[in-house]
Amino acid sequence: MLSLRWRFEQCRETTDRPLSSAEMTVGVVGLGYVGLPLVVAFAEAGDRVVALDIDPLKVAAVGKGESYIEDIPSERLRAVLPQIRATHRYADLAQAEAVLICVPTPLTDNREPDLGPLDAAAQSLTQVVQPGQLIVLESTTYPGTTRERLVPMLEGSGLRVGDDISVAFSPERVDPGRTDYTLRNTPKVVGGITPACAERAETLYGRVCDHVVKVSTPEAAEMTKLLENIFRSVNIALVNELAILCERMGIDIWEVVDAASTKPYGFMRFEPGPGMGGHCLPVDPFYLTWRARQFHMSTEFIELAGKINQQMPYHCVERIERALNDVARPVKGSKILVLGASYKGGVGDIRESPGLRIIEVLAERGGIVSYHDDFVPSLPDLGLESVPLEGAAEEADAVVLVTAHPGIDYSGMVERSSLFVDLRGVTRGVRLDHLVRL
Ligand SMILES: NC(=O)c1ccc[n+]([C@@H]2O[C@H](COP(=O)([O-])OP(=O)(O)OC[C@H]3O[C@@H](n4cnc5c(N)ncnc54)[C@H](O)[C@@H]3O)[C@@H](O)[C@H]2O)c1
């Protein structure tokens, strides 16, 4: 009842009032890797949650307590299902005290920000936004999006941000597949349009996060997320470039990374690999590149890192070709088994996965490519289905480890293959004639 009373008090001081300390109603827009964990977290904190998506399959699945996100077991979702209302109707958000926007922020074909999903969500929200509501954008985006794009759209409702409604940006830091750092124990950064907006966002996230870090503006919060992702992208590119150099120099990059990691300060471990995947690292930095151009600046580190990381799948294909060549086999006509199609271990997300590029290029060159991935049962665009592991290594002319999932006996796979190419370093330290590492 508290939320209803709060909703109908349409006075100018609505945004000065703290959010309810008792149970509240929270709306989550976009039920993907970011949104669904938030739905469950707020429900577990005792709140009611309006879980909204335009994808009817996701709405139906959430409504039935069936999770499609690896980090959220269905049992966990079902345990809080009575508190969750899964919907595709924006009108249902009118009952929420806070609404979190977690829609995708991809790039267009020209590698420019595609704010279409955000615009669509904001436009729909404008029709139903209520005085006193707190709206938080969680999607990763360039600095200025919240203030210059979201606020004007919401104000199209006739409500004023800072007076009638509150708006903040809070970047999501979820790392799919990770269990040691979760929403609860990963500090949450928030930046509000006004100090009161930030305070209300701080109170909201305090319900599900142990530590909330308030920054002075949404722009600072937006830039914080980009710095984190660009930091990773640049460092991965650095170690990838060194991996290529080490190979030419006959030095084992994995041994070097392990040794450098013994330094207790001033070094942070990053591992080479077949390239960067997922929704974030290959995409987010280019939001800043685009924005920087409006300030007459080019972001050299971002561009260079992107270039090196995008080259990695091609470098890996060349490595596979050379390994086959060394046993007198061309790619054309060779049976190549790829292990792991998702972009990282323990998840089924194939967005921007370098494994897909590797499979494509090998197939273009005449390789007879199959793959195994328990998290990715099929790759419809490539016309492939995951093959069983049983007997697969023995049959292949080359086995290529692209993504290492937990629970697979890779040393057994190495033993059973005639040629094994390890692009993830799981065999580091092992020397065998038929084993080749990135
Ligand atoms: N996946 C991650 O690990 C991660 C981590 C941190 C930040 N992010 C950022 O969070 C945002 C969301 O990422 P994600 O991985 O959860 O994406 P996702 O594609 O898994 O989920 C987004 C959901 O939004 C829905 N959607 C699209 N338009 C909508 C609309 N107008 N109204 C309602 N729902 C709509 C889609 O149907 C989809 O279910 C992105 O900006 C991403 O960069 C992602």
Side-chain angles (χ1 to χ4, degrees):
M1 285 319 290
L2 197 58
S3 62
L4 285 178
R5 192 196 65 210
W6 198 60
R7 171 157 60 103
F8 290 116
E9 283 174 345
Q10 302 191 358
C11 59
R12 283 270 152 194
E13 301 85 52
T14 39
T15 54
D16 291 337
R17 202 165 301 136
L19 291 172
S20 347
S21 53
E23 74 180 35
M24 350 176 351
T25 300
V26 178
V28 176
V29 175
L31 305 177
Y33 286 89
V34 168
L36 192 60
L38 284 165
V39 167
V40 172
F42 279 100
E44 285 176 344
D47 295 323
R48 292 177 300 269
V49 185
V50 179
L52 184 145
D53 205 292
I54 49 169
D55 180 346
L57 295 177
K58 285 192 176 145
V59 174
V62 173
K64 283 188 273 183
E66 287 166 9
S67 173
Y68 40 83
I69 302 283
E70 293 89 3
D71 291 347
I72 304 291
S74 292
E75 305 77 62
R76 210 177 134 196
L77 176 59
R78 277 198 283 271
V80 287
L81 207 53
Q83 286 150 259
I84 298 170
R85 174 169 183 183
T87 183
H88 66 275
R89 287 171 12 111
Y90 270 80
D92 293 337
L93 293 172
Q95 62 191 273
E97 286 158 74
V99 178
L100 315 180
I101 303 174
C102 313
V103 296
T105 42
L107 292 173
T108 64
D109 290 344
N110 296 330
R111 300 194 73 70
E112 291 188 348
D114 175 2
L115 292 183
L118 173 59
D119 287 347
Q123 196 55 52
S124 306
L125 206 47
T126 301
Q127 315 297 317
V128 298
V129 66
Q130 298 292 314
Q133 279 185 329
L134 164 66
I135 313 293
V136 187
L137 178 59
E138 290 238 1
S139 305
T140 309
T141 184
Y142 60 81
T145 310
T146 307
R147 192 185 302 273
E148 295 168 22
R149 195 104 174 192
L150 181 60
V151 166
M153 289 185 87
L154 291 172
E155 290 192 335
S157 65
L159 298 172
R160 302 278 312 152
V161 172
D163 291 334
D164 309 311
I165 55 172
S166 307
V167 173
F169 181 82
S170 179
E172 183 48 64
R173 286 171 152 175
V174 68
D175 183 11
R178 190 165 201 128
T179 50
D180 52 350
Y181 284 104
T182 60
L183 186 63
R184 167 61 65 191
N185 65 355
T186 305
K188 191 93 170 91
V189 174
V190 300
I193 293 286
T194 66
C197 295
E199 254 167 57
R200 298 183 85 213
E202 184 182 26
T203 308
L204 173 75
Y205 287 110
R207 300 170 84 81
V208 291
C209 303
D210 292 338
H211 188 39
V212 181
V213 181
K214 225 171 12 159
V215 293
S216 60
T217 58
E219 289 79 8
E222 289 160 336
M223 188 63 121
T224 301
K225 174 69 185 178
L226 292 178
L227 170 61
E228 291 164 12
N229 282 357
I230 292 162
F231 174 81
R232 279 189 63 71
S233 168
V234 166
N235 280 287
I236 291 170
L238 172 67
V239 77
N240 276 338
E241 188 175 65
L242 291 185
I244 297 171
L245 178 63
C246 280
E247 198 183 300
R248 290 202 189 163
M249 297 173 80
I251 299 168
D252 184 342
I253 183 69
W254 305 98
E255 185 184 4
V256 173
V257 170
D258 283 347
S261 302
T262 60
K263 187 175 179 186
Y265 56 90
F267 181 80
M268 187 176 280
R269 181 189 193 105
F270 285 89
E271 309 233 324
M276 269 184 345
H279 181 289
C280 297
L281 297 194
V283 173
D284 303 344
F286 296 98
Y287 266 65
L288 190 59
T289 296
W290 176 85
R291 183 63 162 167
R293 281 203 291 271
Q294 297 177 347
F295 291 81
H296 311 290
M297 200 172 148
S298 62
T299 49
E300 312 282 342
F301 273 100
I302 295 173
E303 298 285 1
L304 182 59
K307 199 168 133 198
I308 294 171
N309 290 328
Q310 276 163 22
Q311 269 308 108
M312 283 314 285
Y314 299 93
H315 173 75
C316 291
V317 167
E318 196 208 305
R319 193 80 194 84
I320 297 160
E321 272 181 336
R322 271 193 289 132
L324 279 165
N325 187 57
D326 288 347
V327 292
R329 283 193 164 277
V331 169
K332 195 176 175 112
S334 288
K335 289 188 209 143
I336 304 169
L337 170 68
V338 166
L339 299 178
S342 62
Y343 82 94
K344 67 185 260 192
V347 301
D349 192 348
I350 57 165
R351 291 178 293 182
E352 311 279 332
S353 174
L356 305 186
R357 196 76 204 110
I358 290 174
I359 292 174
E360 253 169 13
V361 178
L362 287 171
E364 273 165 24
R365 294 186 188 175
I368 303 164
V369 188
S370 59
Y371 84 99
H372 170 84
D373 191 324
D374 279 335
F375 292 84
V376 184
S378 64
L379 295 172
D381 289 352
L382 298 177
L384 293 175
E385 289 197 356
S386 173
V387 297
L389 266 192
E390 193 70 27
E394 292 86 337
E395 273 180 31
D397 297 310
V399 178
V400 182
L401 173 51
V402 172
T403 297
H405 286 305
I408 294 187
D409 170 21
Y410 289 111
S411 54
M413 297 286 295
V414 173
E415 267 172 37
R416 294 195 297 278
S417 357
S418 50
L419 175 63
F420 195 97
V421 182
D422 174 8
L423 304 177
R424 290 289 181 180
V426 300
T427 63
R428 66 187 66 183
V430 180
R431 281 175 188 274
L432 293 167
D433 285 346
H434 72 292
L435 172 61
V436 173
R437 260 187 305 276
L438 175 67

